């Protein structure tokens, strides 16, 4: 396929084959099984839907083109994709993760590593010396980054991390959920594997649970990830795949709007008397700003966190007073969400009790700012 600019890839959805009916949108094939010749497998490539079906071609080709990946697999959730990567490791492997990261993965790692003889270290990934010190050449198998990271939106240096990983014979895996391939392209910076919760921006409408894994190289490690999807049944279903494809076709419009609004909201919170701290990589005051300017393309994303003066009680009070911002977890939808992150993460959370995580949607930014300011008091 000719390489188009990402906006065109998304709007067209890589739809360059015409359906015999003339439909501009591919049909949803619900078949779980496909006709086979006596020798076993047909040359259409479809045999049984746990291994793949026609409706995955379009979203997987679109994502592959956006990330510049050699291969792509859609999963039933972000966690399903991320854990498939971990299950490709051999027992005894060592992995280095950030401290600031998606808490669900951290929870899974804690239990999984204890049972499967995988050693996990969490380090401050903004400090490359600490990363170097944690990596054990020949033993460390994975360095895992999520940038901007949950919920302080720290920026981790993908190119530098790739260098550290490769020098130790390890792989760099990047969770690219928050910036999407439109704002950060980890594979072009040296990462080996990219994962996403497609539940967030890629779908963008809070109505699909989905995940993606992509690779720079088709090798034995990638084959093990694909095997886990195929034989554990982690594949995305037909209806969610069609919804995901529909959502992705406006990703470029949504992410641009969310980034612009997030910048305005973060700026409006900066000098607010009830706000103690604002975390947004687009702000020059954010510790990762200079790196974000270098590493991110076309915006700093739609996620902002603020720490409310007065801690937990004041933050809870703000959450009960917003009208437009809906109190719910998750991110990347067209509707704006607010959550007190420590409450979502539970007792082991490292997050400030008064930190409110804001997922900026596509409502009028003046309404969002007014609503937040009214709630702050
Ligand atoms: N990665 C990030 C950054 C997330 O925020 C989430 C979910 O919130 C996940 C991965 C997991 O994705 P899912 O909920 O689709 O399993």
């Amino acid at each position: 396929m000719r390489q188009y600019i990402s906006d065109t890839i998304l709007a067209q959805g890589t739809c360059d084959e015409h359906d015999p009916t003339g439909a501009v949108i591919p049909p949803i094939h619900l078949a779980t099984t496909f006709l086979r010749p006596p020798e076993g497998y047909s040359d259409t490539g479809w045999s049984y839907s746990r291994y793949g079906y026609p409706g995955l071609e379009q979203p997987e080709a679109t994502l592959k083109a956006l990330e510049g990946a050699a291969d792509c697999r859609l999963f039933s959730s972000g966690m399903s994709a991320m854990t498939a990567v971990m299950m490709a490791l051999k027992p005894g492997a060592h992995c280095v993760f950030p401290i600031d990261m998606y808490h669900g993965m951290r929870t899974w790692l804690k239990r999984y590593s204890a049972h499967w003889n995988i050693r996990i270290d969490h380090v401050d990934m903004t400090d490359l010396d600490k990363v170097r010190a944690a990596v054990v050449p020949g033993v460390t198998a994975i360095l895992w980054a999520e940038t901007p990271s949950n919920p302080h939106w720290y920026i981790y240096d993908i190119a530098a991390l790739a260098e550290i990983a490769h020098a130790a014979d390890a792989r760099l895996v990047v969770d690219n959920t928050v910036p999407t391939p439109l704002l950060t392209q980890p594979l072009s910076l040296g990462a080996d594997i990219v994962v996403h919760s497609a539940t967030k921006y890629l779908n963008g409408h809070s109505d699909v649970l989905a995940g993606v894994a992509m690779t720079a190289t088709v090798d034995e490690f990638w084959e093990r990830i694909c095997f886990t999807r195929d034989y554990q049944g982690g594949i995305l279903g037909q209806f969610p795949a069609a919804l995901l494809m529909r959502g992705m076709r406006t990703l470029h419009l949504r992410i641009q709007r969310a980034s612009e609004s997030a910048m305005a909201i973060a700026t409006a919170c900066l000098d607010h008397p009830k706000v103690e701290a604002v975390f947004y990589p687009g702000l020059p005051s954010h510790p990762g700003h200079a790196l974000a300017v270098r590493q991110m393309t076309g915006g700093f994303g739609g996620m902002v966190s603020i720490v409310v003066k007065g801690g937990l009680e004041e933050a809870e009070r703000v959450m009960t007073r917003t009208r437009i911002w809906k109190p719910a977890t998750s991110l990347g939808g067209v509707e704006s969400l607010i959550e007190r992150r420590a409450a979502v993460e539970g007792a082991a959370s490292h997050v400030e009790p008064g930190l409110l995580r804001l997922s900026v949607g596509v409502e009028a930014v003046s309404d969002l700012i007014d609503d937040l300011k009214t709630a702050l008091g």
Side-chain angles (χ1 to χ4, degrees), residues 77-80 82 102 146 150 175 177-178 197-200 209-210 330-331 357:
S77 70
M79 281 303 290
S80 178
M82 289 160 60
Y102 171 55
E146 171 193 317
N150 259 289
D175 180 341
T177 301
V178 169
S197 167
T199 314
K200 317 299 179 192
L209 199 63
S330 200
L331 59 103
R357 193 182 86 168

Side-chain angles (χ1 to χ4, degrees), residues 116-138:
W116 292 90
N117 189 23
I118 303 279
R119 195 158 68 79
I120 307 287
D121 279 320
H122 290 272
V123 300
D124 171 3
M125 215 163 255
T126 61
D127 185 338
L128 293 173
D129 286 335
K130 287 194 177 142
V131 179
R132 277 187 207 99
V135 166
V136 188

